[in-house]
Amino acid sequence: MQPQTIARLTTIAVVSNLVVQILIIGTGGAVRLTGSGLGCSTWPNCEPGQFTPSFHDATSIHPYVEFGNRVLGAVVVLVALLLVALVQASRLSGVRPAPTVAYQRLAVLPLVLSVLQAVLGGLTVRFELHPALVGSHFLISAVLVWISAWLVTGWFRPMRGQPVLESGARRLGWAMATVAGVVVVLGMIVTGSGPHSGDAEVGYRFAVDPVVVARLHAASVWVFLALLVVVTVVAHRTDGGAPAARLRRHTWVLVVVTLAQAAIGYVQYFTGLPELLVGMHMIGAALLVAATAFTLASMYERRPRAVLTS
């Protein structure tokens, strides 16, 4: 197979990996928000001795929601496996520039963590949706989105050059990313302490005051937004040609995602946490993580992969 063909197949795998990692957060949220966490009572089978749900007069939607999420989980693992194989094939087939050793190692992580997610999913069922396990499930997915976004950047623009921003501004950017992690963790705790902590019939909650945690979560979002505003202003004052223009575009995308997330968060809080808005907020969290990763990557000059632009 020609190097150009291998490169384009790898491109599809890299982008698909990011897409399915975001989508499974949405289907996982649907499982939680519809109370379908125990729609399948066992794992890996849906029911004892039965891999798929069975239809009968008393069947509810819950087994199908849970099984659908499991099917997408299998797709996630398959895409991650193809990604590893194609990155390795790119190195062996003569694609230039060849994926670095660091990139190859990073490309293995979605496969490893996705398999870990499958095992964690089984434990989550086994321990009847304890919020610590459900929350860990979400946090690992957020890490997978972050890694997948870096893989996209590293594939399309593998040739890294000089930093676009001064060192102080770059440190602000990494501080912003750290606060984004705090935002996501606190958001997980808020959900785990509220009415959407798991299955509708299981009363487990984090033993914290959801109002207090929600306020801490909101405060962390405001800190994140303040740092983002500073980074955006600095980016607009930086005269760095095309790399600086790319950074400005990424910061504005992140501003839009952040404001949309904040708006959804406040509306859902004051309207009693409707399931649709909570689900949108979970997808928004994944988009926030990805947009933050792309913004940080654009703080460094990166030239495009020649085989994809020729």
Side-chain angles (χ1 to χ4, degrees):
M1 195 177 292
Q2 294 295 319
Q4 291 84 354
T5 303
I6 293 290
R8 295 190 187 282
L9 289 174
T10 307
T11 299
I12 294 172
V14 167
V15 174
S16 298
N17 177 64
L18 175 59
V19 171
V20 295
Q21 296 294 353
I22 293 174
L23 285 179
I24 200 165
I25 289 179
T27 60
V31 170
R32 171 182 281 194
L33 295 170
T34 59
S36 302
L38 295 178
C40 289
S41 62
T42 63
W43 184 91
N45 287 340
C46 187
E47 300 296 340
Q50 184 176 298
F51 183 68
T52 61
S54 61
F55 179 80
H56 49 78
D57 291 341
T59 301
S60 68
I61 191 178
H62 302 315
Y64 298 101
V65 174
E66 167 64 10
F67 186 73
N69 184 57
R70 292 186 183 189
V71 170
L72 183 57
V75 172
V76 168
V77 172
L78 178 60
V79 171
L81 181 60
L82 289 173
L83 174 62
V84 172
L86 286 167
V87 168
Q88 182 69 8
S90 296
R91 184 184 69 83
L92 297 175
S93 66
V95 171
R96 293 290 179 266
T100 63
V101 172
Y103 189 88
Q104 293 175 60
R105 291 174 177 171
L106 189 65
V108 173
L109 286 180
L111 177 59
V112 173
L113 292 179
S114 295
V115 172
L116 175 63
Q117 283 283 71
V119 175
L120 184 58
L123 292 174
T124 302
V125 173
R126 171 66 179 81
F127 289 99
E128 298 188 327
L129 308 176
H130 191 283
L133 292 175
V134 175
S136 298
H137 218 30
F138 170 74
L139 292 180
I140 293 174
S141 285
V143 171
L144 279 162
V145 169
W146 177 274
I147 293 170
S148 300
W150 276 99
L151 285 169
V152 169
T153 295
W155 178 253
F156 280 95
R157 295 186 171 274
M159 294 171 278
R160 180 166 156 178
Q162 297 299 316
V164 177
L165 299 178
E166 298 294 333
S167 59
R170 296 199 305 276
R171 284 195 291 270
L172 275 178
W174 283 103
M176 179 184 71
T178 302
V179 175
V182 174
V183 169
V184 171
V185 171
L186 287 174
M188 179 273 292
I189 296 174
V190 170
T191 304
S193 63
H196 302 305
S197 62
D199 188 274
E201 297 179 0
V202 178
Y204 294 138
R205 301 281 193 278
F206 283 131
V208 295
D209 186 336
V211 175
V212 172
V213 180
R215 288 174 178 170
L216 290 174
H217 175 59
S220 67
V221 171
W222 283 108
V223 173
F224 175 83
L225 184 58
L227 290 170
L228 174 57
V229 168
V230 174
V231 171
T232 302
V233 170
V234 172
H236 277 267
R237 291 181 176 178
T238 300
D239 184 15
R246 187 176 304 110
L247 172 61
R248 288 192 286 271
R249 288 195 298 271
H250 281 299
T251 57
W252 277 113
V253 169
L254 183 53
V255 167
V256 171
V257 172
T258 303
L259 292 178
Q261 267 292 82
I264 293 171
Y266 277 109
V267 171
Q268 71 172 7
Y269 180 81
F270 289 112
T271 56
L273 302 175
E275 287 82 357
L276 179 60
L277 287 181
V278 176
M280 291 173 61
H281 205 51
M282 293 181 71
I283 290 290
L287 295 176
L288 179 71
V289 169
T292 303
F294 286 133
T295 299
L296 260 65
S298 63
M299 292 194 307
Y300 304 88
E301 180 185 356
R302 292 175 179 270
R303 288 170 288 168
R305 181 176 292 278
V307 73
L308 299 178
T309 57
S310 58

